[in-house]
Amino acid sequence: MLDLEALPGLTRSERVRAIDTWLGGLLADAVAGTPPPKARRGGPHR
């Protein structure tokens, strides 16, 4: 979870790092919950 109250006290590079880490975690969680693609009938072979 992103600590919004702590952000104003951080330097710009620290804020960027904190937000980048937070967004990376959100992306990793989203990708982890994505089921693998299913083969489509009639579609091209992989």
Side-chain angles (χ1 to χ4, degrees), residues 1-12 14-16 18-19:
M1 176 172 252
L2 185 60
D3 184 1
L4 295 176
E5 292 186 16
L7 286 179
L10 300 175
T11 65
R12 182 177 182 178
E14 290 171 330
R15 285 192 307 267
V16 168
I19 292 172

Side-chain angles (χ1 to χ4, degrees), residues 38-46:
K38 295 181 181 177
R40 297 172 65 185
R41 290 181 11 183
H45 295 286
R46 293 184 183 210

